[in-house]
Amino acid sequence: MSLRILEIGVYGHGGERNSVRLNDSGMSIITGASKTGKSSLIDIIEFCFGRDQCNVSDGVIRQHASWYGVLLDRGDTRIFIGRRNPRPPKTRDPDVYLAMGRDIGMPDHAELHANLAVDGIESLLTTSVGIAENMTTVPEGQSRQSLRANIKHALMFCLQDQDEIDSRKVLFHRQSEPFLPQTIKDVLPYFLGAIDEDRLRRKAELDNEKKELRRLEKAAAEREQLAGFSAARTEDIYREAQTVGLLPAGAPPEHETALAALRAINPVIRELPVPPDSIEPIVVLRRERAALRRDLAAVRERLRQIRHVEDVAGGFALEAEEQRARLAPLGLAANHDPATCALCGSADILLPAVSEMRSSLDELDQQLSQVRREVPRLQEAQAELLTRQGDIEQALKRNQDQIENLAKQDDAFRSEQDSQIRLAKTVGRITYFLETLPRPAPIVASGDELEAARKRVEALEKLVDPENTADRLSSILNLVGDFMTRDSEKLDLEHSGSRLRLDVRQLAVVADTLDGPVPLYRMGSGENWVGYHVLAHLALHRWFRQKDRPVPGFLFFDQPSQAHYPAEQDRNGDIDVLPDADREAVYKLFKLISDVGKELSPGFQVIVTDHADLREDWFAKAVVARWRGVGLIPQTWIDR
């Protein structure tokens, strides 16, 4: 979809309007003297195309213009975009006026008012020029972020201001600004068509599949690592239990069997047998201690059960909340046809009916509500048991103190005490081990599912193989180079007989000579620099138009004759004052621009601003404005 400029204008503070009407195809020339506003037209175009900062030079235009405007034609409709001129020294203003219609023209000043956000310009024009959803590819290991090509990026291939067209260091518009050279390298393959929309879609799918595969592999690795760690700890605790007689001797069994054996150990410490009818004080105290420990064991077991239930409820709640989050967007399908997919609208995919998914969502809500009601009750019971446990432990401490006082001189008791201490320590470690044992990682995928994820990634990687893109880009650049080489024969440039090509890595034109490659920055003279800029951009737009790529259908050259016809020699635009060689070079340059503009018409326009005013018929027909004694800002606005 070609996007061209029909008219560029300014509005005065008194409600006036002044504009220049361009040819809708072919070449449009604005010739005139210095300081008439020719070069500011590029800045006005950029500002109206959504650039945040207004770069129109401070001076007559900034002082006397209230609004800037451009009238665009995209084939099926026209678009007018107006931007309020920020009063100096400000360079930004949020007011944007938009009008669209098949037959609209430049509106009157009274119609201008803010009705669109600045960000809306980018979105509108990106869509209007036909730029589809896309994402640049960033090689692994590089820190820069991926970006989406948009109208601002496309504009870099449509504009050449007077400081760029004769530069040997930069080839594209704004290339000298920080970070933009890499941006140009990233987006140019998309605009050339080396990366098509299907590949971009598959690349996005590949990125998602890679993320999912990494998640599955990480979970599997964590589960395997956790299993190995738990097995080693279980074996150590099992052997310690064997040493104190809590478990039978022999080689430790498998992990799960060993854990079951440890959980089956009675946490009540075994007591030495005493006569059931003994009334000795120490015997009574031992019986009391045994009873207290049985009570303590019962309380701990009850606490363990409650905590287990609480963990299960918490895990269920977490899983249920995630399931509910997946089903929650059903509200978007409230009025959707139940016979089609609620998300994409397809009738070819067998999915549960919306009503069934809503039923699942309601059931999840009921279950979550029940879990939330039970959790506070579990916490209350837990608090009561903890209080009871503390009381029993205090009673045990008092009992132990009494026994120790009675049996300080009893060697047999001391032996029992040592044994009981060792036993108690081991039981305590077993209890602590079982309570702090990490919960197994959830089984997020079976081996088959993990393998299927790997195969999906491999299949998509083959489809988006960067080597395929590189080969396609190389082929396109060769064709663009052919255009440049062929057109160079029409200009008298230093390496015009050589094979020319566009080097994306250097963002430069390169001439392949018998002595080796010569990049633009190693070529001498302004004539060569201007000539190769013109050749490169005409060749690119020849490709853009032939392949119907989403780049605006205009190319703007500012002062292409400056290497031969500098401003200080300008009198009335007549190039007869120039030496024959310079006069011939200017003629050939403009003739080439005119011929390519005519060749790519309709749907393409070349806009040229220059001092030169050739007396040729084809040149005169292309002139849309002569600014000598007049300019973009009328003198009446200045004198007012």
Side-chain angles (χ1 to χ4, degrees):
M1 186 180 298
S2 178
L3 187 68
R4 290 158 294 128
I5 303 175
L6 298 181
E7 202 164 349
I8 308 171
V10 292
Y11 293 81
H13 295 293
E16 311 92 338
R17 182 186 75 217
N18 190 42
S19 62
V20 55
R21 176 83 182 187
L22 305 175
N23 298 321
D24 59 4
S25 62
M27 184 164 66
S28 298
I29 299 174
I30 302 168
T31 180
S34 298
K35 301 179 182 180
T36 54
K38 300 187 305 297
S39 297
S40 294
L41 294 177
I42 285 182
D43 297 322
I44 292 173
I45 291 171
E46 277 199 288
F47 192 47
C48 291
F49 267 63
R51 190 166 183 179
D52 186 49
Q53 182 171 314
C54 177
N55 289 323
V56 177
S57 300
D58 289 348
V60 172
I61 300 176
R62 292 294 303 278
Q63 293 172 3
H64 297 282
S66 61
W67 284 76
Y68 306 113
V70 294
L71 181 63
L72 307 174
D73 183 5
R74 69 176 188 187
D76 58 344
T77 189
R78 291 181 175 184
I79 303 170
F80 174 82
I81 299 175
R83 293 289 303 273
R84 189 186 296 276
N85 176 30
R87 285 295 188 95
K90 294 181 179 180
T91 59
R92 292 173 172 83
D93 193 288
D95 288 352
V96 180
Y97 173 70
L98 171 70
M100 298 179 65
R102 293 185 63 86
D103 300 314
I104 66 170
M106 297 286 286
D108 293 332
H109 188 285
E111 300 177 48
L112 302 179
H113 63 278
N115 63 359
L116 183 71
V118 174
D119 292 343
I121 301 177
E122 177 183 317
S123 176
L124 170 69
L125 296 184
T126 296
T127 302
S128 296
V129 82
I131 298 175
E133 286 294 325
N134 65 87
M135 182 66 73
T136 62
T137 300
V138 178
E140 292 187 8
Q142 296 192 13
S143 60
R144 72 179 190 275
Q145 298 294 318
S146 297
L147 56 87
R148 297 181 185 277
N150 57 46
I151 188 64
K152 294 179 182 177
H153 300 133
L155 211 58
M156 295 177 183
F157 308 108
C158 299
L159 302 175
Q160 285 280 284
D161 67 35
Q162 62 179 330
D163 296 325
E164 295 164 340
I165 197 170
D166 70 340
S167 173
R168 65 175 182 174
K169 295 183 179 180
V170 300
L171 181 62
F172 296 103
H173 183 56
R174 300 181 63 188
Q175 182 181 332
S176 61
E177 298 181 21
F179 309 112
L180 286 188
Q182 186 59 56
T183 297
I184 295 172
K185 296 176 186 178
D186 287 342
V187 301
L188 183 55
Y190 167 74
F191 287 116
L192 287 172
I195 304 175
D196 59 27
E197 285 74 10
D198 287 340
R199 182 188 180 280
L200 293 168
R201 175 181 53 79
R202 289 192 291 266
K203 179 63 173 64
E205 292 176 2
L206 175 60
D207 292 341
N208 291 333
E209 289 291 349
K210 280 185 174 181
K211 289 179 182 178
E212 178 64 12
L213 178 59
R214 286 194 295 268
R215 186 185 70 81
L216 296 177
E217 289 177 337
K218 180 180 179 182
E222 289 177 350
R223 183 176 178 82
E224 184 177 347
Q225 182 181 13
L226 182 60
F229 177 69
S230 299
R233 289 186 62 196
T234 300
E235 183 176 344
D236 291 342
I237 292 293
Y238 189 93
R239 292 185 183 280
E240 184 175 350
Q242 287 178 317
T243 62
V244 296
L246 291 173
L247 292 173
E254 294 182 354
H255 178 243
E256 294 299 331
T257 304
L259 276 178
L262 289 172
R263 292 190 178 103
I265 293 176
N266 189 343
V268 178
I269 299 177
R270 301 172 185 177
E271 299 289 336
L272 293 177
V274 295
D277 56 349
S278 175
I279 58 173
E280 294 182 7
I282 194 169
V283 173
V284 173
L285 289 172
R286 286 175 180 172
R287 287 175 181 155
E288 179 184 349
R289 182 175 63 183
L292 288 172
R293 284 176 172 167
R294 283 194 295 274
D295 292 342
L296 182 60
V299 170
R300 284 176 174 170
E301 176 61 17
R302 181 59 178 159
L303 270 173
R304 186 191 66 78
Q305 294 174 355
I306 290 176
R307 286 170 178 165
H308 177 70
V309 171
E310 187 177 20
D311 287 345
V312 171
F316 171 79
L318 179 60
E319 293 295 329
E321 286 288 357
E322 291 181 356
Q323 182 65 13
R324 187 185 186 283
R326 297 188 189 103
L327 294 174
L330 285 174
L332 297 174
N335 299 318
H336 202 274
D337 183 358
T340 62
C341 173
L343 301 179
C344 68
S346 173
D348 298 331
I349 302 176
L350 296 178
L351 292 174
V354 174
S355 59
E356 294 175 350
M357 290 190 283
R358 286 203 186 95
S359 176
S360 297
L361 182 60
D362 294 338
E363 183 178 350
L364 283 173
D365 286 337
Q366 293 175 4
Q367 292 174 349
L368 284 170
S369 177
Q370 184 176 355
V371 168
R372 295 188 185 104
R373 288 196 302 270
E374 292 299 329
V375 168
R377 298 177 186 173
L378 291 174
Q379 292 174 344
E380 291 176 3
Q382 208 176 146
E384 294 176 0
L385 288 172
L386 287 172
T387 301
R388 174 63 178 156
Q389 177 179 298
D391 295 338
I392 295 174
E393 288 173 348
Q394 289 295 324
L396 274 172
K397 186 177 183 305
R398 290 193 299 269
N399 175 274
Q400 188 64 31
D401 290 343
Q402 293 173 358
I403 291 176
E404 289 176 356
N405 290 333
L406 291 173
K408 282 182 179 179
Q409 306 301 321
D410 189 337
D411 292 339
F413 176 77
R414 289 176 182 174
S415 176
E416 179 207 3
Q417 186 181 45
D418 292 342
S419 176
Q420 293 291 318
I421 289 173
R422 288 196 301 274
L423 192 64
K425 287 181 178 179
T426 300
V427 170
R429 278 193 286 271
I430 293 172
T431 301
Y432 178 77
F433 166 72
L434 293 175
E435 289 180 350
T436 59
L437 188 67
R439 295 176 61 187
I443 301 177
V444 294
S446 65
D448 292 340
E449 290 173 325
L450 196 57
E451 183 62 24
R454 291 193 179 102
K455 289 181 178 179
R456 289 195 299 272
V457 168
E458 291 174 1
L460 287 169
E461 283 179 335
K462 292 178 181 178
L463 293 174
V464 297
D465 186 353
E467 291 186 3
N468 295 336
T469 300
D471 290 343
R472 188 170 182 178
L473 178 61
S474 178
S475 176
I476 293 172
L477 292 176
N478 285 336
L479 294 174
V480 172
D482 289 342
F483 296 149
M484 295 166 57
T485 302
R486 185 187 68 191
D487 287 344
S488 69
E489 297 174 359
K490 302 175 182 178
L491 302 178
D492 296 326
L493 302 178
E494 184 176 354
H495 301 286
S496 59
S498 303
R499 165 76 181 175
L500 301 178
R501 57 185 169 90
L502 184 62
D503 189 330
V504 175
R505 290 175 300 175
Q506 299 185 70
L507 294 181
V509 174
V510 177
D512 290 321
T513 70
L514 295 176
D515 297 324
V518 181
L520 181 65
Y521 58 83
R522 284 169 43 197
M523 298 179 186
S525 85
E527 176 184 358
N528 286 317
W529 303 334
V530 172
Y532 285 118
H533 275 72
V534 171
L535 287 173
H537 284 81
L538 289 177
L540 282 172
H541 278 269
R542 200 183 246 118
W543 176 264
F544 292 152
R545 298 279 63 81
Q546 288 183 3
K547 306 304 290 186
D548 195 25
R549 296 306 300 161
V551 178
F554 64 83
L555 180 57
F556 197 128
F557 292 126
D558 184 24
Q559 312 291 351
S561 72
Q562 60 184 290
H564 306 279
Y565 190 55
E568 58 270 16
Q569 294 187 24
D570 180 33
R571 296 295 182 268
N572 58 2
D574 190 354
I575 64 172
D576 289 340
V577 298
L578 300 178
D580 292 344
D582 285 335
R583 189 166 59 251
E584 182 69 15
V586 172
Y587 175 88
K588 289 182 176 180
L589 186 64
F590 275 104
K591 192 67 170 68
L592 173 63
I593 296 173
S594 175
D595 290 344
V596 175
K598 185 183 300 182
E599 175 189 341
L600 300 182
S601 296
F604 179 72
Q605 62 181 169
V606 183
I607 307 166
V608 181
T609 54
D610 207 289
H611 295 288
D613 192 352
L614 279 62
R615 300 297 182 254
E616 306 295 330
D617 289 343
W618 55 267
F619 188 96
K621 291 178 181 179
V623 173
V624 296
R626 286 186 170 88
W627 287 348
R628 297 187 181 278
V630 296
L632 183 61
I633 301 296
Q635 187 64 38
T636 55
W637 296 14
I638 301 173
D639 296 338
R640 182 175 54 224

